[in-house]
Amino acid sequence: KYPFKNFRALSCFFYSPGVKELWGDRQISESAEDMEFDEHLEDEGFFEIPVGDRKIVTEASDPPIKTLCEKIDKGRIIVRADFQRYYIWDTKPKLKSRLIESVLLRVPIPVIYTAEEDDGRELVVDGQQRLLTFYGFTKKDGFRLSGLRVLKELNGRTYRDLDESLQDAIDDYPIRVIKIRKESHKDIKFDIFERLNRGSVKLNEQELRNCIYRGSFNDLLKKLAQNKDFQRLQGLKDVHPRMLDLERILRFFAFSDITERKYKGPLTSFLNSYMEAHRQMSDKLQEEKAILFKKSLELCQTVFGKYSFRRWYAGDDDDPNGQGEDRINEGIFDIQMYGFTQYEKRQLIGRAEVIKEKLFELMTGDMAFVESIERGTYDTNKVKLRTEKWFQSLREVVGYPENDRRLYTFEEKLALFDKDHICHICKNEIAFIEDAHVDHFERYSDGGKTSIKNGKLSHRYCNLSKG
């Protein structure tokens, strides 16, 4: 029996300073901000994948260590991906040596997982440390074995110092490799990457995207994250070590392009699809994206200053003074940055204080809005609700943006009238173009475009009468 009356007493003992020292390197490695960020996303919903598409296509093989090393040399196996931040075992010579000893003793080695890219190359998803150890040991300047407990006579030797028979034993040792084929469903594949990549630090979703969707768009995200104003508004002194800033920029572009009207959770799938579609981006489009990002960032700085991206709380009877949070609220970040894409500085500069007050009112007095930024932040309906409420507030203060395309031009109305001037409601002829009203087949609020193809004519009276 243990001398603990309850779990609380046990917990206090386990977390006491003296006992914590015995944990060694099993310290909690995720920062508070990382965990808070994950909490915002954990309630976002489920992947909606048709039953017939729920497939992961794999291919198993047992290539010898020598073949794997040759593929690394030729670039056919990508073992040093960006999201694999460093070779952890490089500082653990005994661990590396005992892996080589295990090979010589014919001890089974854990499976290595790779993911097939479109060009046929394989990206190491799980097993980087093992592969780099094999590769490093068999090279000309490979490390010396140390700390071997069974084959202790080999301590101090390099690969070149071994007898040819031992070299062959290493070269010819088969390693089970499971390749996730490129035909696999992208969302399921991404989910598998998350499950496999769990070391002392669990990789987050953006770190995985940084690897899976490498290309010019990913490079742009990294470049924009270096913006000093962006870092300062986030409370950072440099780029975020876990790429949370990159995901914020990615969300900004995804919402700006696709709009909240066509957003459908989960957020993971939404961002994965957007990043995959824009993986290789032209120089011109990169420049346009950079200008849009910097414009919204500057407007956030002008209007909200140190309160950018932060939640504000109202006071209470005990303390009527309100207060703001230090940490970033992801939902607030999204609507501030996205909302300002539609306006220019000259439209907002004289109304900055009123705009700020409008958002503070939403954060302190509108409970539906508050819930949308506190729980299940990326639930489909909550994304739409808070965005719609913020956009409506902006329009009350500033008016509709100059580039708003919810209204048809006279030229577009004329083109529709010349094509077919039958009222789509009463089915009678519209006698005069002045009596014509243009509506959307797919509603603008649902993401419908203001285009000839999506336009339909009606009598003004019929349109007003439909309610």
Side-chain angles (χ1 to χ4, degrees):
K1 288 187 176 181
Y2 294 99
F4 304 113
K5 295 180 181 180
N6 51 44
F7 287 115
R8 179 178 174 79
L10 176 61
S11 178
C12 290
F13 168 77
F14 186 68
Y15 283 91
S16 63
V19 175
K20 282 179 73 175
E21 290 182 4
L22 303 178
W23 292 9
D25 58 0
R26 293 182 178 87
Q27 301 292 337
I28 297 174
S29 53
E30 286 189 292
S31 69
E33 183 181 356
D34 293 346
M35 290 185 283
E36 287 170 352
F37 188 81
D38 286 342
E39 287 172 6
H40 276 286
L41 309 184
E42 64 184 11
D43 234 358
E44 63 182 60
F46 303 94
F47 290 124
E48 295 186 8
I49 305 170
V51 175
D53 293 336
R54 295 175 189 173
K55 62 179 181 180
I56 194 79
V57 183
T58 62
E59 178 183 307
S61 61
D62 298 281
I65 288 176
K66 184 175 182 179
T67 298
L68 290 171
C69 291
E70 289 173 348
K71 283 189 172 183
I72 293 172
D73 274 331
K74 294 177 180 178
R76 301 310 299 164
I77 290 181
I78 306 169
V79 72
R80 291 183 182 274
D82 287 345
F83 78 105
Q84 303 279 18
R85 287 175 293 280
Y86 46 83
Y87 177 35
I88 300 170
W89 287 11
D90 205 25
T91 58
K92 299 181 179 182
K94 290 184 180 179
L95 193 58
K96 296 191 297 182
S97 297
R98 287 174 186 170
L99 178 66
I100 301 302
E101 184 181 45
S102 295
V103 169
L104 291 172
L105 292 172
R106 287 326 195 227
V107 174
I109 304 298
V111 174
I112 288 173
Y113 289 86
T114 66
E116 185 180 26
E117 303 234 294
D118 290 338
D119 60 6
R121 294 185 298 169
E122 295 178 59
L123 175 71
V124 177
V125 177
D126 186 58
Q128 181 211 36
Q129 305 298 318
R130 299 189 293 278
L131 272 181
L132 286 177
T133 296
F134 297 144
Y135 185 80
F137 182 66
T138 57
K139 290 299 152 183
K140 183 177 180 180
D141 299 322
F143 61 87
R144 294 182 179 277
L145 298 173
S146 62
L148 302 186
R149 293 184 291 184
V150 179
L151 304 177
K152 51 185 180 296
E153 68 275 8
L154 300 182
N155 282 325
R157 297 192 187 185
T158 66
Y159 174 81
R160 306 299 171 190
D161 298 331
L162 298 179
D163 292 340
E164 189 174 332
S165 60
L166 293 178
Q167 291 181 359
D168 290 343
I170 295 171
D171 290 344
D172 298 337
Y173 185 82
I175 301 292
R176 170 52 59 109
V177 175
I178 294 181
K179 176 168 64 177
I180 302 170
R181 297 288 299 273
K182 59 187 177 184
E183 307 89 283
S184 303
H185 191 283
K186 61 180 178 60
D187 286 336
I188 300 179
K189 185 164 62 173
F190 190 87
D191 191 56
I192 288 175
F193 289 172
E194 281 193 296
R195 298 181 196 205
L196 292 174
N197 279 282
R198 295 177 184 271
S200 58
V201 177
K202 174 189 172 184
L203 296 173
N204 64 43
E205 293 181 349
Q206 192 58 35
E207 288 171 317
L208 285 170
R209 291 188 193 99
N210 177 56
C211 160
I212 299 167
Y213 304 119
R214 297 184 318 280
S216 58
F217 182 41
N218 190 51
D219 293 340
L220 175 64
L221 297 180
K222 292 180 181 178
K223 181 180 178 181
L224 295 178
Q226 296 172 9
N227 183 296
K228 291 302 178 185
D229 288 332
F230 184 49
Q231 291 172 8
R232 182 175 54 77
L233 289 181
Q234 294 177 97
L236 300 174
K237 294 182 179 179
D238 202 345
V239 294
H240 195 288
R242 302 298 309 279
M243 297 188 174
L244 303 190
D245 45 0
L246 269 70
E247 177 157 318
R248 287 168 185 146
I249 301 172
L250 173 60
R251 288 203 315 270
F252 166 68
F253 288 135
F255 281 124
S256 299
D257 280 355
I258 300 176
T259 79
E260 82 289 350
R261 297 185 297 273
K262 291 192 174 181
Y263 171 77
K264 186 175 183 180
L267 179 69
T268 300
S269 181
F270 179 70
L271 296 183
N272 289 353
S273 296
Y274 184 82
M275 199 160 181
E276 181 181 45
H278 296 81
R279 186 170 180 172
Q280 297 300 340
M281 186 176 285
S282 68
D283 292 344
K284 181 181 179 182
L285 188 53
Q286 286 185 63
E287 184 179 355
E288 291 174 358
K289 295 289 184 192
I291 290 172
L292 184 66
F293 171 76
K294 291 172 184 175
K295 184 193 83 166
S296 279
L297 187 65
E298 182 183 355
L299 289 175
C300 285
Q301 187 172 240
T302 298
V303 175
F304 296 105
K306 65 180 181 179
Y307 300 112
S308 296
F309 320 144
R310 268 74 175 183
R311 168 80 194 280
W312 183 266
Y313 294 90
D316 53 31
D317 291 339
D318 295 328
D319 182 5
N321 295 307
Q323 62 179 7
E325 282 186 334
D326 290 330
R327 65 184 177 91
I328 288 178
N329 181 289
E330 304 303 331
I332 295 297
F333 172 88
D334 292 343
I335 61 171
Q336 285 183 354
M337 288 288 289
Y338 172 28
F340 286 161
T341 59
Q342 304 193 20
Y343 296 94
E344 300 300 327
K345 188 172 183 178
R346 58 182 168 74
Q347 297 175 272
L348 305 183
I349 193 68
R351 302 179 174 93
E353 195 59 36
V354 182
I355 293 171
K356 184 165 67 175
E357 182 61 30
K358 278 289 186 181
L359 184 56
F360 281 23
E361 287 177 4
L362 286 174
M363 291 189 286
T364 57
D366 189 318
M367 295 314 297
F369 180 87
V370 169
E371 185 178 351
S372 78
I373 62 173
E374 282 190 341
R375 290 182 295 276
T377 314
Y378 289 99
D379 170 80
T380 302
N381 292 329
K382 289 183 179 180
V383 167
K384 293 181 178 181
L385 182 143
R386 67 170 171 269
T387 307
E388 182 179 329
K389 283 179 176 288
W390 176 234
F391 276 36
Q392 182 58 38
S393 294
L394 282 175
R395 286 162 183 160
E396 288 174 4
V397 177
V398 191
Y400 279 93
E402 294 176 353
N403 62 349
D404 186 69
R405 284 288 288 135
R406 77 175 55 234
L407 299 177
Y408 281 86
T409 65
F410 178 79
E411 288 74 16
E412 289 168 329
K413 182 196 290 188
L414 180 60
L416 286 167
F417 188 81
D418 288 343
K419 182 179 178 181
D420 182 7
H421 44 278
I422 299 298
C423 174
H424 77 93
I425 296 176
C426 72
K427 308 304 180 185
N428 293 315
E429 183 178 358
I430 302 172
F432 307 103
I433 191 170
E434 290 77 13
D435 191 38
H437 180 90
V438 187
D439 206 352
H440 298 75
F441 277 109
E442 182 185 4
R443 292 188 305 173
Y444 185 86
S445 59
D446 291 334
K449 301 293 184 182
T450 303
S451 63
I452 299 293
K453 186 177 181 181
N454 194 42
K456 54 185 178 180
L457 289 178
S458 66
H459 293 103
R460 288 186 183 278
Y461 172 79
C462 292
N463 189 62
L464 292 171
S465 299
K466 70 180 181 181

